[in-house]
Amino acid sequence: MSEDDDTRPLTRRERLRRQTVDEIVEAALGLVDDGGAHGLSLASVGKAVGMTPPALYHYFASREALLDALVLAGYADLGTAVETAVRQAQDRSPADRLAAITGAWRRWALDHPRRYSMLFTGSRREAVDPLESVGAISQSMVALVTTLQEIAGDTGDAGGHAEGSVLDLDLARWGRSVDFPAEAAPATLRLALSTWYRVHGLVSLEIVGAFGTMGLDGERLLAAELEGLVREAARA
């Protein structure tokens, strides 16, 4: 596609199609909020927007294609929430910015628990890669890496692995694919990935009520986890 094709104004038909797609996605997300992604069907979405299932095929070729669109929309919304938190905390200390990033992620997940679950179970991995497809999520990860760099100084190894290990090479390849800062050491990339899966695991357990049955508070658990992460980063 040429640059002119990217910047030309949309035709009336294209605007109407985009508006209809947005309405379908919004209605489908509402159904996910009500009952989860597992029970979503083109018939239920069609009923919500006043369209027949055959009419929906003009916009989405299958239920799986619609789910892919919902996952991308969910990641975009989550990424925007995190980006907003990063902007609001830009003048604070790196540790406070780390808390803002992870806190925004947790709040969005708790506000949209069924959408959050859908992000990791409702899409085909070959169709949706959020870090490559959704700019807001990618920028959120860049902010996470940058913040950890500031804490660590990238002067050493925070993860206990020798530089040049297979894992380091894998992480460097991943970092290049999503435009992380070129100077980010493998230790920082390991810690960024570790931060993500720790927060994701904590939030996922909190959503299903695991901590409530234990009499534990998710916010306090996250704060304690962040204290440990800051210590790990500072050891670099």
Side-chain angles (χ1 to χ4, degrees):
M1 182 179 290
S2 70
E3 185 176 339
D4 290 341
D5 291 333
D6 287 334
T7 58
R8 67 173 177 78
L10 296 176
T11 66
R12 181 175 182 275
R13 175 173 292 184
E14 288 169 336
R15 290 197 306 273
L16 289 174
R17 179 177 178 82
R18 181 171 293 183
Q19 179 181 341
T20 302
V21 168
D22 289 344
E23 290 175 357
I24 293 170
V25 168
E26 192 61 32
L29 287 173
L31 292 174
V32 170
D33 289 339
D34 291 339
H38 63 280
L40 191 71
S41 67
L42 289 180
S44 64
V45 175
K47 183 177 180 181
V49 296
M51 298 174 66
T52 63
L56 281 177
Y57 283 113
H58 291 293
Y59 302 95
F60 294 98
S62 64
R63 176 182 180 275
E64 288 71 26
L66 176 57
L67 278 174
D68 291 342
L70 298 184
V71 169
L72 285 175
Y75 273 122
D77 194 32
L78 171 57
T80 298
V82 174
E83 276 198 306
T84 299
V86 170
R87 287 196 303 271
Q88 292 174 345
Q90 61 183 349
D91 295 328
R92 297 163 64 185
S93 70
D96 285 345
R97 291 204 306 276
L98 180 62
I101 292 169
T102 57
W105 186 287
R106 174 178 173 270
R107 283 191 300 275
W108 190 93
L110 295 181
D111 288 343
H112 308 89
R114 286 173 171 154
R115 293 190 195 192
Y116 189 79
S117 296
M118 175 190 70
L119 299 187
F120 303 97
T121 61
S123 66
R124 297 166 290 160
R125 292 298 93 191
E126 69 274 14
V128 177
D129 183 338
L131 288 183
E132 292 182 357
S133 305
V134 182
I137 282 289
S138 179
Q139 289 305 306
S140 298
M141 288 297 291
V142 169
L144 180 61
V145 170
T146 301
T147 300
L148 289 167
Q149 273 184 290
E150 291 186 48
I151 296 172
D154 268 354
T155 57
D157 179 53
H161 295 272
E163 297 291 333
S165 70
V166 174
L167 176 59
D168 286 339
L169 295 175
D170 289 342
L171 287 166
R173 189 181 307 111
W174 169 59
R176 288 192 299 271
S177 73
V178 290
D179 295 326
F180 284 162
E183 69 276 12
T188 301
L189 296 180
R190 284 198 300 272
L191 196 54
L193 189 60
S194 174
T195 301
W196 178 77
Y197 60 65
R198 290 189 213 184
V199 174
H200 169 62
L202 188 150
V203 167
S204 298
L205 288 170
E206 188 173 8
I207 284 175
V208 299
F211 299 137
T213 60
M214 300 165 66
L216 299 175
D217 181 86
E219 186 172 6
R220 293 193 188 96
L221 287 169
L222 178 58
E225 195 68 33
L226 291 180
E227 289 178 6
L229 285 164
V230 168
R231 287 195 297 270
E232 287 182 50
R235 283 202 299 270

